[in-house]
Amino acid sequence: EVQLVESGGGLVQAGGSLRLSCAASGSTFDDYTIGWFRQAPGKEREGVSCMGGSDGSTYYADSVKGRFTISSDNAKNTVYLQMNSLKPGDTAVYYCAALFGSSCLPPIHPYEYDYWGRGTQVTVSS
């Protein structure tokens, strides 16, 4: 079992940047696929990005491709989501999630993931 804690959310103007962190404990990222999801009020939770710990595969939703980058620091057992050129449409609660094994391949669905962080709010103003 792995425990996940997100941080780094906040309020930023359109065009700005934020870096979200997902710190893991209880296990290592090598055994898991790590996904970033987001959910805006009244909307379904959607997959933003993921990274496969075993095969190094990555995925980005079309809406964030070229703006967001997923990375990891294995020494700190932490996964990051660097978000650049933020838009008001990026406003949502962002969640880090883990899926044991598997690979990061589209499509990604929330129900596939076993472990979740509490979420961190990202608000992008016009």
Side-chain angles (χ1 to χ4, degrees):
E1 184 175 340
V2 61
Q3 294 79 45
L4 306 172
V5 179
E6 306 98 331
S7 62
L11 175 65
V12 64
Q13 290 186 330
S17 298
L18 286 173
R19 189 178 75 164
L20 305 183
S21 298
C22 175
S25 62
S27 188
T28 62
F29 285 123
D30 290 348
D31 298 325
Y32 294 88
T33 295
I34 305 298
W36 284 100
F37 296 81
R38 66 186 183 186
Q39 186 168 24
K43 296 184 178 180
E44 294 183 349
R45 190 169 298 184
E46 64 175 344
V48 175
S49 181
C50 61
M51 178 176 64
S54 60
D55 61 7
S57 58
T58 59
Y59 162 79
Y60 298 95
D62 288 341
S63 59
V64 307
K65 197 170 186 178
R67 300 188 297 121
F68 292 10
T69 303
I70 190 169
S71 63
S72 64
D73 185 336
N74 295 119
K76 296 182 178 180
N77 217 26
T78 299
V79 172
Y80 304 97
L81 185 68
Q82 179 67 46
M83 306 185 296
N84 298 326
S85 302
L86 284 163
K87 305 174 181 179
D90 297 319
T91 296
V93 176
Y94 283 71
Y95 298 91
C96 178
L99 168 66
F100 183 78
S102 191
S103 299
C104 183
L105 294 171
I108 54 173
H109 301 291
Y111 66 80
E112 296 177 330
Y113 285 74
D114 302 307
Y115 309 102
W116 292 83
R118 64 176 177 82
T120 184
Q121 177 71 47
V122 172
T123 302
V124 184
S125 62
S126 300

